[in-house]
Amino acid sequence: MEKTKVAAIQWITLGLLGSIWGSSFMLMKIGTRAFSTIEVSSLRMFFGGILALPFLGVIMIKYDRKILFWMFVSAMLGSAIPSLFYAYSASRMDSNLNGVINSLTPLFTLIVGIIWLKYKTNLISLIGIFIGFFGVLILFTQKSTTYAQAQYAIFPLIATMMYGVNMNIVKIKLSHLPSRDILLGVFGILGCIYLPIVLYLGVFEHIDLHKFSITFWITNPDGVSQKMKSLEAMLLLGFIGSLAASFIFYMLLKRTNALFASTNTYLIPLMSIFWGYLDGESISWVHFVSLLIILLGVYIVSVRK
């Protein structure tokens, strides 16, 4: 395949990944309308891992303890713990602030790589990272955030640090494996952990499937109806926002590097503009300028790739 075609596929993959994960914050917020923080986090991991759980035995037989250990670490740092922190912050602060903090992932990925793995970086990579983050900050200034919301920023900040560590773990310790095996191993472990948790929490009690609604994002004052809507959001978040998105991420990481793959988080705040537009918010020239700045930053990082 020609080099330009490969690069185009990588950029399309990066955009798709940013779009999917960018929608996750909205889905989490819908989930918190009917479920607690621990329930939202557990449902997300349960739906993401339940399909991979039947294949966990095959993975455990196929690979040694060292590989299984790093799969477990990746499951914890890349999904389980961050999902709990983000679910908690999603119920207490605006999703836009969550998105901006999440955009620190490339910076933490680079810092972890330099300190732990002795990555050799250059000025071009640093410039690209900060240009992209500057574009994200411009988007953030278009939204109002109160101090009451901002005080919970420590939770997504810690989660973002974990993402930075996980990016490097997957690239260095697991990327030599088939993407499918990484997915089945990591999410099989999550399914094994969260199946009993979900059953213990009893989140599927008082669920009425007749209340299923295509417009699950619209709040419903009826408790049973809203619970079904929130469950639908968690189903999408688990299957698409976690399982499918992680598979795309593993494929991208195998073909590029941790730093370039992590820049998908710069595209996440752009999704908040999209959802805001659907909700009746206007789009100004500032948003387009921010988009150009973000893409410029990602492109500069990709030059080193």
Side-chain angles (χ1 to χ4, degrees), residues 86-156:
Y86 272 115
Y88 181 76
S89 62
S91 64
R92 290 163 175 80
M93 57 189 283
D94 191 87
S95 59
N96 295 294
L97 181 56
N98 261 326
V100 171
I101 295 174
N102 187 257
S103 299
L104 287 169
T105 299
L107 182 59
F108 286 125
T109 300
L110 180 61
I111 292 174
V112 172
I114 292 175
I115 296 176
W116 179 32
L117 303 171
K118 308 303 180 184
Y119 275 174
K120 292 183 179 180
T121 187
N122 54 32
L123 184 61
I124 297 299
S125 294
L126 292 174
I127 291 175
I129 288 174
F130 284 106
I131 287 178
F133 187 65
F134 178 68
V136 173
L137 286 179
I138 293 177
L139 287 179
F140 179 58
T141 60
Q142 304 302 302
K143 302 287 184 178
S144 58
T145 302
T146 64
Y147 172 76
Q149 293 180 337
Q151 64 181 327
Y152 295 103
I154 184 65
F155 295 100

Side-chain angles (χ1 to χ4, degrees), residues 4 15 30 55 70 115 118 122 156 158 169 171 185 227 234 238 259 274:
T4 54
I30 295 173
F55 303 96
W70 286 116
I115 296 176
K118 308 303 180 184
N122 54 32
I158 295 175
I169 287 177
K171 181 62 182 179
K227 190 171 184 179
M234 292 301 94
L259 191 58
F274 171 75

Side-chain angles (χ1 to χ4, degrees), residues 155-172:
F155 295 100
L157 184 63
I158 295 175
T160 302
M161 293 179 183
M162 292 180 178
Y163 283 153
V165 175
N166 183 59
M167 291 274 184
N168 287 287
I169 287 177
V170 175
K171 181 62 182 179
I172 301 301

